[in-house]
Amino acid sequence: MKKGNNTGIISRMSAWRFVGIRLGILALILFIVVGGGWVYYRSEHNNARRSAVETLNSISDLKVSQIVTFMKERRADARIASPNPLFRHYLANPGSPLLHDEALQWMSTIRQTYDYHAVVLFDARGKELLSVSEHAVSEDSCMAGHVRAALQSKEIVFTDLHRTGDNSSIHMNFLAPLRFKSQAALRSEAPADGVLVFVIDPERDFYRLVKSWPTSSSTGEALLIKREGDSVVFLNNLRHRANSALNHRIRIDSNSRIPAVLATIGKEGIVEGEDYRGVPVHAVIRKVTDTPWFLVVKQDQEEIYAHLSLKVHTLVILISLLMVIAVLGFTLILHQQKVFFLKRELAGRATAEEALRESERTFRDTVENLSEGLYNATLEGRLLNHNKSFNRIFGFDPGQDLRGLLITEFWQNPEARQDYIRSLLARESVNQYQIE
């Protein structure tokens, strides 16, 4: 029986060792599945970010180039017009109908060819002489001040985007001082002989150039901004806020995570932050050469990673299925192993029981075939078992069952049995006890 117990203990130890190994394997599988999923997600996330940043960089470079080219072309128009002898003659003789018509025709051709809102000629006193747009001066209450500044300048004067008085229109101007006097006079502080003003309506081309987006996007947006005092001014209309050009402002100290704010404090390149709506975005900041402007090209992170969301959901489902399969497989293996060990333990028990039965049969046969009579009985003397020799000694048939009889019937002196019982109880065992 001791050997059987040891076998059972060893079997249970083997079972626990098996469970531990399988648990380790299951943990490793789950770690590989979850870890692999996380690595895949980070890789896809980084790829999406890299692709978005590359796109934003390309768009910002393109737009800055387009804006710079636009401004250079308009400045070149003003520079080319300034030495035109037609205006020297006309300013010298403004009453000439022929010169009037020629100058007006030239201005009209320039306006239509390059899509200016208006082209206006002023004399040295700042008085309007010619205009190809009757609303140009009357709309813009700032025009007089711009003309006075240009009369004192020797270079092309640019006036930034501004609203024209109470009117909601936005203009920007290039003013070309007209100087036809001698070189000595040009070097002096004398005012110019006149000013030719090129009025640009940004809604026609400029804002479209800034607003256009070369790819399909529901949140992609280009912002043209500048700093005025302690605020950031948005120069174009925002995609998510109507009538915001020159109206929407953000204090520089309000939120340092806004890319537009970062631009005005010297930050350039790739940034992550929140736009004017408080929405997380990726953005690229560029300084627009030869202007006070900054360009911010941005896109919502939610849109950038939208395709990744579907992949993540699919990945989560796949990982969950793999985990369920792994757990079910592990449970099945455990069950099969449990059955295996149970069968082996039952087989061991059956073998031990069969050995015990065989031992009992051997013992019984030995007892039955002894030449000495053998019996056992209760303390009261009731016969429980006996062998054949007992029957033969006392004259009974060998196969006769005597169980239940009182053993005192076979003692000549029943009192002697009482002495025997007392000795047995006192000593727990009695050897070589002789009776008559």
Side-chain angles (χ1 to χ4, degrees):
M1 290 303 293
K2 186 175 181 181
K3 182 178 179 181
N5 289 337
N6 290 339
T7 303
I9 293 172
I10 293 172
S11 297
R12 285 190 292 273
M13 291 176 61
S14 299
W16 281 113
R17 189 180 299 112
F18 173 84
V19 171
I21 293 173
R22 294 304 185 273
L23 280 174
I25 293 174
L26 176 63
L28 179 61
I29 292 173
L30 295 180
F31 175 78
I32 292 173
V33 171
V34 175
W38 173 251
V39 170
Y40 173 77
Y41 167 77
R42 291 306 305 173
S43 175
E44 289 296 308
H45 184 278
N46 292 337
N47 289 338
R49 183 184 183 281
R50 187 181 305 109
S51 176
V53 167
E54 288 176 355
T55 300
L56 293 175
N57 266 320
S58 298
I59 293 174
S60 64
D61 291 341
L62 173 64
K63 287 190 175 297
V64 167
S65 175
Q66 290 174 332
I67 293 171
V68 170
T69 299
F70 179 90
M71 300 297 285
K72 284 182 176 179
E73 290 175 350
R74 298 304 178 266
R75 191 178 295 274
D77 292 342
R79 185 174 291 110
I80 291 172
S82 58
N84 192 332
L86 174 62
F87 295 108
R88 181 181 60 187
H89 297 313
Y90 179 71
L91 290 172
N93 187 14
S96 169
L98 178 61
L99 292 174
H100 176 279
D101 291 343
E102 288 181 359
L104 201 61
Q105 180 61 42
W106 185 93
M107 292 164 61
S108 179
T109 300
I110 290 294
R111 188 187 74 83
Q112 293 176 5
T113 302
Y114 300 106
D115 201 21
Y116 285 105
H117 176 72
V119 179
V120 188
L121 178 64
F122 293 86
D123 64 13
R125 295 173 299 174
K127 178 183 177 181
E128 179 183 343
L129 297 180
L130 295 175
S131 173
V132 294
S133 176
E134 61 182 20
H135 303 295
V137 176
S138 60
E139 287 180 353
D140 196 341
S141 59
C142 303
M143 181 63 76
H146 297 160
V147 171
R148 285 194 298 271
L151 286 170
Q152 301 301 320
S153 176
K154 297 181 177 62
E155 302 293 336
I156 303 300
V157 175
F158 168 68
T159 61
D160 206 346
L161 291 161
H162 61 279
R163 290 197 176 271
T164 57
D166 296 333
N167 194 294
S168 61
S169 298
I170 297 176
H171 290 163
M172 60 179 175
N173 308 322
F174 281 95
L175 297 89
L178 304 177
R179 295 179 178 273
F180 304 115
K181 296 183 174 67
S182 64
Q183 291 296 322
L186 289 175
R187 288 193 294 269
S188 69
E189 298 300 327
D193 300 307
V195 175
L196 191 62
V197 181
F198 297 84
V199 182
I200 301 171
D201 180 1
E203 293 289 353
R204 295 190 178 185
D205 293 314
F206 185 72
Y207 279 163
R208 285 199 297 268
L209 181 151
V210 174
K211 182 180 178 181
S212 63
W213 198 266
T215 63
S216 176
S217 173
S218 59
T219 64
E221 186 175 14
L223 313 174
L224 197 63
I225 63 170
K226 70 175 182 179
R227 178 171 183 168
E228 283 189 359
D230 59 357
S231 298
V232 178
V233 181
F234 291 79
L235 304 180
N236 61 312
N237 283 319
L238 305 177
R239 182 170 192 165
H240 306 284
R241 195 159 293 176
N243 195 31
S244 52
L246 299 179
N247 291 327
H248 187 63
R249 295 170 178 261
I250 297 177
R251 288 183 58 85
I252 293 174
D253 58 1
S254 62
N255 189 343
S256 61
R257 284 180 49 79
I258 299 177
V261 172
L262 294 173
T264 60
I265 60 177
K267 180 71 174 179
E268 285 195 66
I270 303 165
V271 297
E272 293 184 24
E274 300 174 353
D275 70 355
Y276 53 87
R277 300 166 296 158
V279 175
V281 295
H282 286 301
V284 173
I285 300 171
R286 292 282 187 271
K287 177 76 173 68
V288 181
T289 308
D290 297 328
T291 73
W293 304 335
F294 299 91
L295 183 73
V296 177
V297 178
K298 69 177 185 65
Q299 189 175 12
D300 289 4
Q301 292 184 20
E302 182 179 2
E303 181 184 10
I304 291 173
Y305 302 119
H307 72 286
L308 189 59
S309 177
L310 177 60
K311 290 185 177 181
V312 168
H313 291 159
T314 304
L315 183 62
V316 168
I317 293 173
L318 179 60
I319 290 176
S320 299
L321 287 176
L322 289 175
M323 291 176 67
V324 169
I325 291 172
V327 171
L328 289 177
F330 177 74
T331 303
L332 179 61
I333 292 173
L334 280 183
H335 176 72
Q336 291 177 342
Q337 192 66 16
K338 184 178 180 180
V339 171
F340 169 77
F341 282 114
L342 181 59
K343 287 181 177 179
R344 191 167 72 174
E345 186 174 351
L346 291 175
R349 289 182 182 180
T351 302
E353 289 174 357
E354 179 61 30
L356 179 60
R357 285 193 294 270
E358 181 63 26
S359 176
E360 289 176 347
R361 283 194 298 268
T362 302
F363 178 75
R364 189 179 301 112
D365 290 343
T366 301
V367 169
E368 289 295 331
N369 294 315
L370 285 173
S371 59
E372 293 83 1
L374 183 69
Y375 75 97
N376 64 339
T378 65
L379 292 176
E380 292 78 14
R382 190 71 62 183
L383 193 62
L384 296 176
N385 283 298
H386 58 90
N387 64 354
K388 294 177 181 180
S389 296
F390 179 87
N391 289 29
R392 187 171 55 254
I393 291 171
F394 289 98
F396 293 98
D397 186 78
Q400 186 176 350
D401 188 0
L402 303 178
R403 289 178 298 180
L405 296 179
L406 289 173
I407 195 64
T408 53
E409 296 180 7
F410 305 101
W411 288 61
Q412 290 183 0
N413 182 6
E415 291 298 328
R417 186 176 184 277
Q418 294 300 323
D419 295 336
Y420 169 75
I421 294 300
R422 283 192 291 268
S423 299
L424 179 64
L425 293 175
R427 304 177 185 177
E428 295 184 355
S429 66
V430 176
N431 295 322
Q432 300 179 351
Y433 187 86
Q434 295 182 359
I435 58 174
E436 294 181 358

Short mmCIF file of all heavy atoms in Angstrom, two decimals, residues 153-204:
data_model
loop_
_atom_site.label_atom_id
_atom_site.label_comp_id
_atom_site.label_asym_id
_atom_site.label_seq_id
_atom_site.Cartn_x
_atom_site.Cartn_y
_atom_site.Cartn_z
N SER A 153 7.82 107.21 -50.59
CA SER A 153 8.68 106.03 -50.71
C SER A 153 9.36 105.98 -52.07
O SER A 153 8.83 106.51 -53.06
CB SER A 153 7.85 104.77 -50.49
OG SER A 153 8.64 103.62 -50.69
N LYS A 154 10.51 105.36 -52.08
CA LYS A 154 11.21 105.13 -53.35
C LYS A 154 11.07 103.68 -53.82
O LYS A 154 11.56 103.32 -54.88
CB LYS A 154 12.69 105.47 -53.20
CG LYS A 154 12.97 106.94 -52.88
CD LYS A 154 14.45 107.19 -52.77
CE LYS A 154 14.74 108.66 -52.52
NZ LYS A 154 14.17 109.14 -51.25
N GLU A 155 10.41 102.85 -53.01
CA GLU A 155 10.22 101.43 -53.32
C GLU A 155 8.73 101.11 -53.43
O GLU A 155 7.87 101.91 -53.03
CB GLU A 155 10.85 100.55 -52.24
CG GLU A 155 12.34 100.78 -52.02
CD GLU A 155 13.18 100.37 -53.21
OE1 GLU A 155 12.71 99.50 -53.98
OE2 GLU A 155 14.30 100.89 -53.37
N ILE A 156 8.48 99.93 -53.98
CA ILE A 156 7.09 99.47 -54.05
C ILE A 156 6.56 99.28 -52.64
O ILE A 156 7.23 98.68 -51.79
CB ILE A 156 7.00 98.15 -54.84
CG1 ILE A 156 7.59 98.31 -56.24
CG2 ILE A 156 5.56 97.66 -54.91
CD1 ILE A 156 6.90 99.34 -57.09
N VAL A 157 5.38 99.79 -52.38
CA VAL A 157 4.76 99.70 -51.05
C VAL A 157 3.66 98.64 -51.07
O VAL A 157 2.80 98.65 -51.96
CB VAL A 157 4.17 101.06 -50.62
CG1 VAL A 157 3.42 100.92 -49.29
CG2 VAL A 157 5.28 102.11 -50.51
N PHE A 158 3.73 97.76 -50.10
CA PHE A 158 2.70 96.72 -49.96
C PHE A 158 1.85 97.01 -48.74
O PHE A 158 2.38 97.25 -47.65
CB PHE A 158 3.35 95.34 -49.84
CG PHE A 158 2.40 94.25 -49.41
CD1 PHE A 158 1.39 93.82 -50.24
CD2 PHE A 158 2.52 93.67 -48.15
CE1 PHE A 158 0.51 92.82 -49.84
CE2 PHE A 158 1.66 92.66 -47.74
CZ PHE A 158 0.65 92.24 -48.58
N THR A 159 0.55 97.03 -48.93
CA THR A 159 -0.36 97.17 -47.78
C THR A 159 -1.05 95.84 -47.56
O THR A 159 -1.63 95.25 -48.47
CB THR A 159 -1.41 98.26 -48.03
OG1 THR A 159 -2.21 97.94 -49.17
CG2 THR A 159 -0.74 99.60 -48.25
N ASP A 160 -0.95 95.37 -46.33
CA ASP A 160 -1.41 94.03 -45.96
C ASP A 160 -2.93 93.90 -46.12
O ASP A 160 -3.66 94.89 -46.30
CB ASP A 160 -0.99 93.71 -44.53
CG ASP A 160 -0.84 92.23 -44.27
OD1 ASP A 160 -1.32 91.43 -45.10
OD2 ASP A 160 -0.24 91.87 -43.24
N LEU A 161 -3.39 92.66 -45.99
CA LEU A 161 -4.82 92.39 -46.04
C LEU A 161 -5.55 93.23 -44.99
O LEU A 161 -5.16 93.26 -43.82
CB LEU A 161 -5.07 90.90 -45.78
CG LEU A 161 -4.60 89.95 -46.89
CD1 LEU A 161 -4.45 88.53 -46.35
CD2 LEU A 161 -5.58 89.97 -48.05
N HIS A 162 -6.61 93.92 -45.41
CA HIS A 162 -7.36 94.79 -44.51
C HIS A 162 -8.79 94.91 -45.01
O HIS A 162 -9.08 94.71 -46.18
CB HIS A 162 -6.71 96.18 -44.44
CG HIS A 162 -6.66 96.87 -45.78
ND1 HIS A 162 -5.69 96.60 -46.73
CD2 HIS A 162 -7.48 97.82 -46.33
CE1 HIS A 162 -5.90 97.33 -47.80
NE2 HIS A 162 -6.99 98.09 -47.60
N ARG A 163 -9.66 95.24 -44.09
CA ARG A 163 -11.06 95.48 -44.46
C ARG A 163 -11.21 96.93 -44.90
O ARG A 163 -10.60 97.84 -44.33
CB ARG A 163 -11.99 95.17 -43.30
CG ARG A 163 -12.07 93.68 -43.02
CD ARG A 163 -13.27 93.30 -42.18
NE ARG A 163 -13.35 91.84 -42.03
CZ ARG A 163 -13.98 91.03 -42.86
NH1 ARG A 163 -14.61 91.55 -43.91
NH2 ARG A 163 -13.99 89.73 -42.68
N THR A 164 -12.08 97.12 -45.87
CA THR A 164 -12.25 98.45 -46.47
C THR A 164 -13.34 99.21 -45.74
O THR A 164 -14.49 99.27 -46.19
CB THR A 164 -12.61 98.31 -47.96
OG1 THR A 164 -13.79 97.50 -48.08
CG2 THR A 164 -11.48 97.64 -48.72
N GLY A 165 -13.00 99.78 -44.60
CA GLY A 165 -13.97 100.58 -43.85
C GLY A 165 -15.09 99.72 -43.30
O GLY A 165 -14.87 98.62 -42.78
N ASP A 166 -16.30 100.24 -43.40
CA ASP A 166 -17.46 99.52 -42.89
C ASP A 166 -17.87 98.38 -43.80
O ASP A 166 -18.64 97.51 -43.40
CB ASP A 166 -18.64 100.49 -42.71
CG ASP A 166 -18.35 101.56 -41.67
OD1 ASP A 166 -17.53 101.26 -40.76
OD2 ASP A 166 -18.92 102.66 -41.77
N ASN A 167 -17.36 98.40 -45.03
CA ASN A 167 -17.70 97.34 -45.97
C ASN A 167 -16.99 96.05 -45.56
O ASN A 167 -15.91 96.08 -44.99
CB ASN A 167 -17.27 97.75 -47.38
CG ASN A 167 -17.89 96.85 -48.45
OD1 ASN A 167 -17.60 95.67 -48.52
ND2 ASN A 167 -18.74 97.45 -49.27
N SER A 168 -17.61 94.92 -45.85
CA SER A 168 -17.04 93.64 -45.45
C SER A 168 -15.94 93.16 -46.40
O SER A 168 -15.34 92.12 -46.17
CB SER A 168 -18.15 92.57 -45.38
OG SER A 168 -18.76 92.42 -46.66
N SER A 169 -15.68 93.90 -47.48
CA SER A 169 -14.67 93.48 -48.45
C SER A 169 -13.27 93.54 -47.85
O SER A 169 -12.97 94.38 -46.99
CB SER A 169 -14.73 94.37 -49.70
OG SER A 169 -15.99 94.26 -50.34
N ILE A 170 -12.42 92.63 -48.30
CA ILE A 170 -11.02 92.59 -47.87
C ILE A 170 -10.14 92.85 -49.09
O ILE A 170 -10.33 92.24 -50.15
CB ILE A 170 -10.68 91.23 -47.24
CG1 ILE A 170 -11.51 91.01 -45.98
CG2 ILE A 170 -9.19 91.16 -46.89
CD1 ILE A 170 -11.32 89.66 -45.35
N HIS A 171 -9.19 93.75 -48.95
CA HIS A 171 -8.27 94.07 -50.04
C HIS A 171 -6.84 94.02 -49.53
O HIS A 171 -6.58 94.11 -48.33
CB HIS A 171 -8.54 95.48 -50.60
CG HIS A 171 -9.83 95.58 -51.36
ND1 HIS A 171 -10.42 96.80 -51.66
CD2 HIS A 171 -10.64 94.64 -51.88
CE1 HIS A 171 -11.53 96.59 -52.33
NE2 HIS A 171 -11.69 95.29 -52.47
N MET A 172 -5.91 93.92 -50.49
CA MET A 172 -4.50 94.23 -50.24
C MET A 172 -3.99 94.93 -51.50
O MET A 172 -4.48 94.67 -52.62
CB MET A 172 -3.68 92.98 -49.91
CG MET A 172 -3.64 91.92 -50.96
SD MET A 172 -2.60 90.52 -50.38
CE MET A 172 -2.82 89.35 -51.72
N ASN A 173 -3.02 95.83 -51.31
CA ASN A 173 -2.60 96.70 -52.41
C ASN A 173 -1.09 96.68 -52.61
O ASN A 173 -0.33 96.49 -51.64
CB ASN A 173 -3.01 98.16 -52.13
CG ASN A 173 -4.48 98.29 -51.78
OD1 ASN A 173 -5.33 97.61 -52.35
ND2 ASN A 173 -4.78 99.19 -50.85
N PHE A 174 -0.70 96.88 -53.87
CA PHE A 174 0.68 97.20 -54.20
C PHE A 174 0.66 98.61 -54.79
O PHE A 174 -0.09 98.88 -55.75
CB PHE A 174 1.25 96.21 -55.21
CG PHE A 174 1.67 94.90 -54.59
CD1 PHE A 174 0.80 93.82 -54.59
CD2 PHE A 174 2.90 94.77 -54.00
CE1 PHE A 174 1.17 92.62 -54.01
CE2 PHE A 174 3.29 93.57 -53.42
CZ PHE A 174 2.41 92.49 -53.41
N LEU A 175 1.46 99.51 -54.24
CA LEU A 175 1.49 100.90 -54.68
C LEU A 175 2.86 101.22 -55.27
O LEU A 175 3.90 101.01 -54.61
CB LEU A 175 1.21 101.86 -53.51
CG LEU A 175 -0.19 101.73 -52.87
CD1 LEU A 175 -0.17 100.70 -51.73
CD2 LEU A 175 -0.68 103.08 -52.35
N ALA A 176 2.86 101.67 -56.50
CA ALA A 176 4.11 101.98 -57.21
C ALA A 176 4.29 103.49 -57.28
O ALA A 176 3.51 104.18 -57.96
CB ALA A 176 4.08 101.38 -58.61
N PRO A 177 5.28 104.04 -56.57
CA PRO A 177 5.56 105.49 -56.69
C PRO A 177 6.07 105.80 -58.10
O PRO A 177 6.93 105.08 -58.63
CB PRO A 177 6.66 105.73 -55.65
CG PRO A 177 6.63 104.53 -54.75
CD PRO A 177 6.17 103.39 -55.60
N LEU A 178 5.54 106.85 -58.72
CA LEU A 178 5.94 107.25 -60.07
C LEU A 178 6.87 108.46 -59.96
O LEU A 178 6.45 109.54 -59.53
CB LEU A 178 4.71 107.60 -60.91
CG LEU A 178 3.65 106.48 -61.02
CD1 LEU A 178 2.43 106.97 -61.81
CD2 LEU A 178 4.24 105.24 -61.67
N ARG A 179 8.12 108.26 -60.30
CA ARG A 179 9.13 109.33 -60.20
C ARG A 179 9.78 109.50 -61.57
O ARG A 179 10.44 108.60 -62.07
CB ARG A 179 10.18 108.99 -59.15
CG ARG A 179 9.62 108.92 -57.72
CD ARG A 179 10.70 108.56 -56.71
NE ARG A 179 10.17 108.55 -55.36
CZ ARG A 179 10.09 109.61 -54.57
NH1 ARG A 179 10.52 110.79 -55.02
NH2 ARG A 179 9.58 109.53 -53.36
N PHE A 180 9.58 110.69 -62.15
CA PHE A 180 10.09 110.95 -63.50
C PHE A 180 11.07 112.11 -63.53
O PHE A 180 11.45 112.58 -64.60
CB PHE A 180 8.92 111.25 -64.45
CG PHE A 180 7.88 110.16 -64.47
CD1 PHE A 180 6.59 110.41 -63.99
CD2 PHE A 180 8.19 108.90 -64.94
CE1 PHE A 180 5.64 109.41 -64.02
CE2 PHE A 180 7.23 107.90 -64.96
CZ PHE A 180 5.95 108.15 -64.49
N LYS A 181 11.50 112.62 -62.38
CA LYS A 181 12.41 113.75 -62.33
C LYS A 181 13.85 113.27 -62.52
O LYS A 181 14.11 112.08 -62.71
CB LYS A 181 12.26 114.50 -61.00
CG LYS A 181 10.87 115.12 -60.82
CD LYS A 181 10.83 115.89 -59.53
CE LYS A 181 9.50 116.64 -59.39
NZ LYS A 181 8.37 115.72 -59.25
N SER A 182 14.78 114.17 -62.40
CA SER A 182 16.19 113.85 -62.58
C SER A 182 16.68 112.95 -61.45
O SER A 182 16.02 112.79 -60.43
CB SER A 182 17.02 115.15 -62.59
OG SER A 182 16.91 115.78 -61.32
N GLN A 183 17.87 112.36 -61.64
CA GLN A 183 18.45 111.47 -60.64
C GLN A 183 18.67 112.20 -59.33
O GLN A 183 18.50 111.64 -58.25
CB GLN A 183 19.78 110.89 -61.16
CG GLN A 183 19.61 109.92 -62.32
CD GLN A 183 18.83 108.68 -61.90
OE1 GLN A 183 18.99 108.18 -60.79
NE2 GLN A 183 17.96 108.20 -62.80
N ALA A 184 19.07 113.48 -59.41
CA ALA A 184 19.29 114.26 -58.18
C ALA A 184 17.99 114.40 -57.41
O ALA A 184 17.95 114.31 -56.18
CB ALA A 184 19.86 115.64 -58.52
N ALA A 185 16.92 114.64 -58.15
CA ALA A 185 15.61 114.76 -57.48
C ALA A 185 15.19 113.43 -56.89
O ALA A 185 14.56 113.38 -55.84
CB ALA A 185 14.57 115.27 -58.49
N LEU A 186 15.53 112.32 -57.59
CA LEU A 186 15.18 110.98 -57.09
C LEU A 186 15.88 110.69 -55.78
O LEU A 186 15.34 110.00 -54.91
CB LEU A 186 15.54 109.92 -58.14
CG LEU A 186 14.67 109.89 -59.42
CD1 LEU A 186 15.21 108.88 -60.39
CD2 LEU A 186 13.21 109.57 -59.07
N ARG A 187 17.13 111.24 -55.64
CA ARG A 187 17.88 110.98 -54.42
C ARG A 187 17.43 111.87 -53.26
O ARG A 187 17.77 111.64 -52.13
CB ARG A 187 19.37 111.19 -54.68
CG ARG A 187 20.00 110.08 -55.55
CD ARG A 187 21.51 110.18 -55.50
NE ARG A 187 21.97 111.41 -56.14
CZ ARG A 187 22.28 111.50 -57.44
NH1 ARG A 187 22.15 110.45 -58.24
NH2 ARG A 187 22.70 112.65 -57.95
N SER A 188 16.65 112.89 -53.56
CA SER A 188 16.17 113.80 -52.52
C SER A 188 14.95 113.22 -51.84
O SER A 188 14.45 112.16 -52.19
CB SER A 188 15.84 115.17 -53.14
OG SER A 188 14.67 115.04 -53.96
N GLU A 189 14.43 113.95 -50.85
CA GLU A 189 13.25 113.53 -50.11
C GLU A 189 11.97 114.04 -50.74
O GLU A 189 10.92 114.00 -50.10
CB GLU A 189 13.36 114.02 -48.66
CG GLU A 189 14.55 113.46 -47.90
CD GLU A 189 14.52 111.95 -47.81
OE1 GLU A 189 13.40 111.38 -47.73
OE2 GLU A 189 15.59 111.33 -47.82
N ALA A 190 12.03 114.53 -51.95
CA ALA A 190 10.84 115.07 -52.61
C ALA A 190 9.84 113.97 -52.85
O ALA A 190 10.21 112.82 -53.14
CB ALA A 190 11.23 115.71 -53.94
N PRO A 191 8.55 114.26 -52.73
CA PRO A 191 7.53 113.25 -52.98
C PRO A 191 7.51 112.83 -54.44
O PRO A 191 8.02 113.52 -55.32
CB PRO A 191 6.23 113.93 -52.57
CG PRO A 191 6.50 115.38 -52.72
CD PRO A 191 7.94 115.57 -52.37
N ALA A 192 6.91 111.67 -54.69
CA ALA A 192 6.80 111.15 -56.05
C ALA A 192 5.83 112.01 -56.86
O ALA A 192 5.03 112.78 -56.31
CB ALA A 192 6.34 109.70 -56.01
N ASP A 193 5.91 111.87 -58.19
CA ASP A 193 5.01 112.62 -59.09
C ASP A 193 3.60 112.03 -59.08
O ASP A 193 2.65 112.70 -59.51
CB ASP A 193 5.58 112.57 -60.52
CG ASP A 193 6.96 113.20 -60.58
OD1 ASP A 193 7.11 114.35 -60.14
OD2 ASP A 193 7.89 112.51 -61.05
N GLY A 194 3.46 110.80 -58.63
CA GLY A 194 2.15 110.15 -58.58
C GLY A 194 2.30 108.74 -58.02
O GLY A 194 3.41 108.28 -57.75
N VAL A 195 1.19 108.10 -57.90
CA VAL A 195 1.18 106.73 -57.39
C VAL A 195 0.19 105.91 -58.20
O VAL A 195 -0.96 106.34 -58.43
CB VAL A 195 0.79 106.68 -55.89
CG1 VAL A 195 0.67 105.23 -55.43
CG2 VAL A 195 1.79 107.43 -55.05
N LEU A 196 0.65 104.75 -58.63
CA LEU A 196 -0.22 103.80 -59.33
C LEU A 196 -0.53 102.66 -58.36
O LEU A 196 0.38 102.00 -57.85
CB LEU A 196 0.46 103.27 -60.59
CG LEU A 196 -0.43 102.49 -61.56
CD1 LEU A 196 -1.56 103.36 -62.11
CD2 LEU A 196 0.40 101.92 -62.71
N VAL A 197 -1.81 102.46 -58.07
CA VAL A 197 -2.23 101.50 -57.06
C VAL A 197 -2.85 100.28 -57.74
O VAL A 197 -3.78 100.43 -58.57
CB VAL A 197 -3.24 102.12 -56.08
CG1 VAL A 197 -3.63 101.10 -55.01
CG2 VAL A 197 -2.66 103.38 -55.45
N PHE A 198 -2.37 99.11 -57.36
CA PHE A 198 -2.93 97.84 -57.84
C PHE A 198 -3.69 97.21 -56.67
O PHE A 198 -3.08 96.78 -55.68
CB PHE A 198 -1.82 96.90 -58.31
CG PHE A 198 -1.04 97.44 -59.48
CD1 PHE A 198 0.03 98.33 -59.29
CD2 PHE A 198 -1.38 97.10 -60.78
CE1 PHE A 198 0.75 98.82 -60.36
CE2 PHE A 198 -0.66 97.59 -61.87
CZ PHE A 198 0.40 98.46 -61.65
N VAL A 199 -5.00 97.18 -56.78
CA VAL A 199 -5.86 96.70 -55.70
C VAL A 199 -6.21 95.23 -55.95
O VAL A 199 -6.72 94.89 -57.03
CB VAL A 199 -7.15 97.54 -55.59
CG1 VAL A 199 -8.01 97.04 -54.42
CG2 VAL A 199 -6.81 99.01 -55.43
N ILE A 200 -5.94 94.40 -54.98
CA ILE A 200 -6.18 92.95 -55.10
C ILE A 200 -7.35 92.54 -54.21
O ILE A 200 -7.36 92.87 -53.02
CB ILE A 200 -4.92 92.15 -54.70
CG1 ILE A 200 -3.74 92.53 -55.60
CG2 ILE A 200 -5.19 90.64 -54.76
CD1 ILE A 200 -2.42 91.96 -55.13
N ASP A 201 -8.30 91.87 -54.81
CA ASP A 201 -9.39 91.26 -54.03
C ASP A 201 -9.00 89.80 -53.78
O ASP A 201 -9.01 88.97 -54.70
CB ASP A 201 -10.70 91.32 -54.81
CG ASP A 201 -11.87 90.68 -54.05
OD1 ASP A 201 -11.64 90.21 -52.91
OD2 ASP A 201 -13.00 90.67 -54.58
N PRO A 202 -8.63 89.43 -52.55
CA PRO A 202 -8.12 88.07 -52.30
C PRO A 202 -9.15 86.97 -52.52
O PRO A 202 -8.78 85.82 -52.70
CB PRO A 202 -7.68 88.13 -50.83
CG PRO A 202 -8.48 89.23 -50.23
CD PRO A 202 -8.66 90.24 -51.33
N GLU A 203 -10.42 87.35 -52.53
CA GLU A 203 -11.46 86.33 -52.75
C GLU A 203 -11.40 85.76 -54.16
O GLU A 203 -11.88 84.64 -54.41
CB GLU A 203 -12.85 86.91 -52.49
CG GLU A 203 -13.11 87.30 -51.04
CD GLU A 203 -13.27 86.09 -50.14
OE1 GLU A 203 -13.30 84.95 -50.65
OE2 GLU A 203 -13.35 86.28 -48.91
N ARG A 204 -10.82 86.50 -55.10
CA ARG A 204 -10.80 86.05 -56.49
C ARG A 204 -9.83 84.89 -56.70
O ARG A 204 -10.21 83.85 -57.23
CB ARG A 204 -10.44 87.21 -57.41
CG ARG A 204 -11.47 88.32 -57.41
CD ARG A 204 -11.17 89.32 -58.51
NE ARG A 204 -12.20 90.36 -58.55
CZ ARG A 204 -12.24 91.32 -59.47
NH1 ARG A 204 -11.31 91.38 -60.42
NH2 ARG A 204 -13.19 92.23 -59.44
#
